[in-house]
Amino acid sequence: MAVRGAKPKPHLQAVREGTFREDRQSEGVKFAPVDPVEPDWELHLPGDGPDDELVRAEAAAAWARTVPMLVIAAGLSNTQRDTALEYCVTWARLVQAERHLSVEGLVVSTERGNVKNPWTTIIHQYRAHFRSLVGELGLSPAAATRLTPPESGGGDDDGVFD
C-alpha cells in the first residue's frame, strides 16, 4: 500500500535546508562518499551491430553528462550508481527507438497489412520508465527545484550553482 502525502525529502537535503527534525525524519542509510565508476557498456549493452555501438555511445554520453552533476548536486555515490546506470541505458534505448521510428515510420507493412510500428509501444514504455528515473534523480526542471546544492567546502567552487 502506498504512503499518502508528499515524497519525503532526502536526509541530506533536509539538513542543508535546515528543516531536519529527528522526531519526524530518519537519517536513512549512509553511503560511503565514493564517486560512481562508469560501467563497462559492452557488458550492459552487448551486441556487435552498428546500432549496438551507437546505443553504447549514447549511454556513455549520458553518463558523462549527468553523473558528475549528480555527484555534486545530490551526493550520488558508487553504491547508488545502479540508478544512474539505469537512467543512461533507458536514455540510450529511447534514442535507439526514436531512430528506428524515424527511419521506418509510424505505420509498417506486414503480411496482415499496415499496422502500428512496434517501436511506438517500446518508446511509450521507455518514456514512462525514463520519467520515473528523471524524477528520482532530480533531472527535470520541476524535480531539480527539490534539490539543494551542498555547502561549498572552500575555495574549490567551480561556479556550477552560481
Side-chain angles (χ1 to χ4, degrees):
M1 181 179 216
V3 178
R4 290 179 180 229
K7 241 182 176 177
K9 290 181 184 179
H11 167 71
L12 287 177
Q13 181 180 354
V15 170
R16 286 184 205 129
E17 293 175 354
T19 59
F20 177 74
R21 288 183 48 182
E22 287 186 35
D23 62 326
R24 291 189 181 178
Q25 296 164 312
S26 166
E27 289 188 31
V29 177
K30 293 182 183 178
F31 297 106
V34 177
D35 286 355
V37 177
E38 184 170 1
D40 177 5
W41 295 112
E42 290 206 20
L43 178 68
H44 293 283
L45 297 165
D48 296 331
D51 201 36
D52 299 318
E53 190 58 41
L54 289 171
V55 170
R56 285 191 290 273
E58 194 63 47
W63 182 276
R65 194 172 51 243
T66 57
V67 170
M69 182 273 307
L70 288 171
V71 168
I72 294 168
L76 184 74
S77 70
N78 194 49
T79 310
Q80 301 160 313
R81 86 178 189 138
D82 290 341
T83 305
L85 186 146
E86 185 69 20
Y87 168 83
C88 295
V89 168
T90 302
W91 171 254
R93 291 295 186 196
L94 213 106
V95 170
Q96 176 189 26
E98 288 287 357
R99 196 177 296 125
H100 279 276
L101 193 60
S102 294
V103 170
E104 298 169 11
L106 294 172
V107 178
V108 293
S109 296
T110 66
E111 60 273 356
R112 293 179 161 178
N114 290 338
V115 296
K116 178 174 80 170
N117 192 326
W119 283 103
T120 57
T121 303
I122 294 168
I123 286 173
H124 178 72
Q125 291 169 345
Y126 270 108
R127 282 205 192 285
H129 188 56
F130 184 75
R131 277 191 301 272
S132 70
L133 290 168
V134 164
E136 186 75 21
L137 293 169
L139 295 173
S140 72
T145 61
R146 295 189 301 262
L147 292 179
T148 304
E151 294 292 324
S152 178
D156 60 344
D157 185 13
D158 60 357
V160 173
F161 296 103
D162 290 346

